[in-house]
Each structure stands twice: as C-alpha cells, then as structure tokens.
C-alpha cells in the first residue's frame, strides 16, 4: 500500500543524546502529521504541519516541514527514557490518513 | 473515560472461525476509521465511515472482511473464515471531520492459530 518512507527504521541512543527521524515522499504532501506509539500502545497524535517551511516546537521536540513539502523531520533534543517508542509521520490523502513506515527509538539510560 | 473504546482487547481463534470486533468512538465524532497493524509496521488503512455511511474500503479488505456502523455511533469489524495472515492488531480511530487529529483506541489484537 501507499506509504511515506521514514529513515532510519530503528535507532538507539544514550539518554541525553539527540535524535532525528526523517519522513520523505516522492510527491508533494498536502500536510503532515506526527504520531508516537509507545511499546504495546496505540498511536497518539503529536502535531500537524501544513505550511511550506513550517517549524513547530513542543518542549524538546522540533517538527519541520520542508520548503518543497516533500519531506518532514522530527528532532528530539536530549532524549529521555520516556521518549522510547515508534514515531510515525502520516499524510491525509483523499480522506484517509496514510502512515509512514515509522522509526523505532530506543533510549538507553 | 470518553476516549475510543475497543473490545475485545485480545482474541485467539482457530483458523476458519469468524471473529467480530467492536469500536465505540468518541461520541461527537462523525468519522470512524479501521486500521490494521502488524509487528514493526505502520497502521494500514482498511476502511472508514462518515456517520453511518461507509465511504471507502482499502484493497486490503478482502471479501471476508465486513464493517458496519449501523446508527452512526459504534462500529463492528467482522472477519469471516479467519486465516493465519489475519493475525494483527486492529485499530479503530475517530475524528471530528476530516484532515484533523485521529484519536485511536487501544486496539484489538487477533491471533489466528
């Protein structure tokens, strides 16, 4: 099925290190949403980006939408063990939300 | 709790049996979505409803799958003649209108033996 590609697929970091996940599409994205899924949990909405070049911050999380609206990134500064989980980008496409492949983050204390 | 509710949370069944999952969305949400998620993958869209109308079904949804939302409130997802490949987490989500935040339930995990 249609999916937006994310890299890396998996990353483990030491607590306190930074982390970035990238979301890439071959076509222009109308918007991008980010979700977090804790191990054993369900996806939880983090943010939505709509405008070209948009940057939004939530505490240690910084979200960017590319100028060409073909990519997006999520950056976490000074990771904590509570950041563990899988981060998905997702795009609304003809009334349905299409999820990316996800980046699984592991944080070691 | 006024979030999205799904049951059962876990279902183990033998191949060939029928199973039904129920989703109760957030009460004022007119849109309801079903997704399937397998280990290490992102949620895959199956189908969605606006009120009681089923507006789109994915090609992933074979004839053995049927979903209903009879009164525009709760929804059911039935899988007939289950196969081992149906083993997955079935997630329900709801929203108010389109292109906004999706609120997910805890999911119903299906294991087909």
């Amino acid at each position: 099925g249609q999916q937006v590609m994310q890299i890396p697929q998996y990353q483990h970091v030491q607590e306190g290190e930074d982390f970035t996940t990238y979301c890439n599409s071959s076509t222009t994205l109308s918007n991008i949403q980010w979700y977090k899924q804790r191990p054993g949990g369900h996806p939880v909405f983090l943010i939505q980006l709509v405008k070209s070049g948009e940057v939004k911050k939530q505490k240690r999380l910084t979200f960017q939408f590319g100028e060409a609206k073909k990519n997006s990134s999520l950056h976490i500064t000074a990771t904590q063990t509570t950041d563990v989980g899988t981060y998905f980008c997702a795009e609304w496409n003809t009334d349905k939300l299409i999820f990316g492949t996800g980046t699984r983050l592991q944080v070691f204390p | 709790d006024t979030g999205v509710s799904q049951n059962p949370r876990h279902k183990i069944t033998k191949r060939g049996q029928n199973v039904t999952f129920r989703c109760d969305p957030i009460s004022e949400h007119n849109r309801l979505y079903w997704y399937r998620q397998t280990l290490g993958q992102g949620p895959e869209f199956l189908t969605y409803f606006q009120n009681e109308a089923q507006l789109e079904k994915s090609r992933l949804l074979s004839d053995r799958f049927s979903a209903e939302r009879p009164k525009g409130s709760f929804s059911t997802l039935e899988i007939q003649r289950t196969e081992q490949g149906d083993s997955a987490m079935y997630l329900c989500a709801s929203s108010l209108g389109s292109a906004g935040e999706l609120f997910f339930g805890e999911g119903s995990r299906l294991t087909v033996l």
Side-chain angles (χ1 to χ4, degrees), chain A residues 58-96:
Chain A
Q58 288 180 351
K59 298 183 180 178
R60 295 179 294 103
L61 275 61
T62 303
F63 304 85
Q64 289 190 309
F65 203 2
E67 292 290 343
K69 299 183 75 173
K70 287 188 174 182
N71 56 73
S72 180
S73 65
L74 158 59
H75 179 83
I76 302 178
T77 304
T79 54
Q80 300 175 357
T81 54
T82 53
D83 295 325
V84 165
T86 302
Y87 293 85
F88 293 100
C89 62
E91 181 202 17
W92 276 103
N93 185 302
T94 57
D95 275 354
K96 57 186 179 288

Side-chain angles (χ1 to χ4, degrees), chain A residues 1-3 9 31 33 35 37 40-46 48 50 86 88 91-102 104, chain B residues 9 31 33 35 37 40-45 48 50 55-56 59-60 89 91 95 97-107 109:
Chain A
Q2 177 187 356
Q3 280 192 319
Q9 184 177 359
N31 60 78
Q33 292 188 348
Y35 288 77
Q37 186 172 22
H42 57 280
V44 175
F45 175 82
L46 293 176
Q48 176 164 289
V50 178
T86 302
F88 293 100
E91 181 202 17
W92 276 103
N93 185 302
T94 57
D95 275 354
K96 57 186 179 288
L97 192 62
I98 304 299
F99 282 81
T101 48
R104 183 179 164 200
Chain B
R9 294 289 310 279
R31 293 213 169 186
Y33 299 81
Y35 284 83
Q37 186 176 30
Q41 301 296 315
E44 292 181 301
F45 169 81
Y48 87 96
Q50 177 162 301
L55 296 186
E56 186 169 345
R59 293 189 307 273
L60 295 173
M89 177 73 83
L91 292 163
S95 69
S98 65
E101 174 182 354
L102 281 192
F103 294 81
F104 281 86
E106 298 283 352
R109 181 171 294 284

Side-chain angles (χ1 to χ4, degrees), chain A residues 10-23:
Chain A
Y10 176 75
Q11 186 160 8
H12 62 262
V13 299
Q14 205 72 34
E15 189 173 21
E17 293 181 337
D18 294 354
F19 159 76
T20 304
T21 172
Y22 301 90
C23 180

